[in-house]
Amino acid sequence: VQLQASGGGLVQPGGSLRLSCAASGRFGSISDMGWYRQVPGEERDLVARIGSDGIRKYADSVKGRFTISRDNAKNTAYLQMNSLKPEDTAVYYCNADIRLHRFAVFNPYWGQGTQVTVSS
């Protein structure tokens, strides 16, 4: 099972970016999918998560600016980031709770990080 993250880059303050996270390989099902971010010397923090039922959770710092969504048919989650601020600069990691078959437990999987830099 692999999670492939994409969509990071350099953007000016106030700009937008859209991150994608696609799960591939052989597995049974995915429950929650989410995005976390990390800056050097700090812990990895939750940005947003979305359940298989569509229920969303956001960090207070991104509420109203970021939107998480998912396409279950494509096993892909998206993070639309608007009104970006310099403090959003970080490496963003996607995460998904996946079980390999219907009788297995869900385990967390991580994608490679994608750098988001907000700077003028």
Side-chain angles (χ1 to χ4, degrees), residues 1-77:
V1 177
Q2 287 190 326
L3 293 180
Q4 181 67 44
S6 61
L10 172 64
V11 64
Q12 293 186 343
S16 298
L17 282 174
R18 188 191 194 209
L19 305 183
S20 298
C21 174
S24 63
R26 298 189 66 176
F27 55 88
S29 59
I30 303 174
S31 60
D32 289 9
M33 300 185 78
W35 291 94
Y36 292 72
R37 65 187 182 188
Q38 188 171 25
V39 297
E42 297 186 14
E43 294 185 351
R44 190 174 298 184
D45 293 325
L46 173 70
V47 176
R49 285 186 71 82
I50 183 169
S52 56
D53 54 5
I55 294 178
R56 298 167 172 81
K57 178 180 180 180
Y58 295 97
D60 289 342
S61 59
V62 307
K63 285 181 180 177
R65 301 187 297 122
F66 291 11
T67 302
I68 189 170
S69 61
R70 64 191 285 173
D71 183 334
N72 291 327
K74 295 182 179 180
N75 296 317
T76 300

Side-chain angles (χ1 to χ4, degrees), residues 95-114:
N95 165 271
D97 292 334
I98 297 174
R99 63 180 178 184
L100 298 183
H101 55 80
R102 61 182 297 182
F103 299 111
V105 297
F106 286 96
N107 287 306
Y109 288 80
W110 292 91
Q112 88 286 5
T114 184

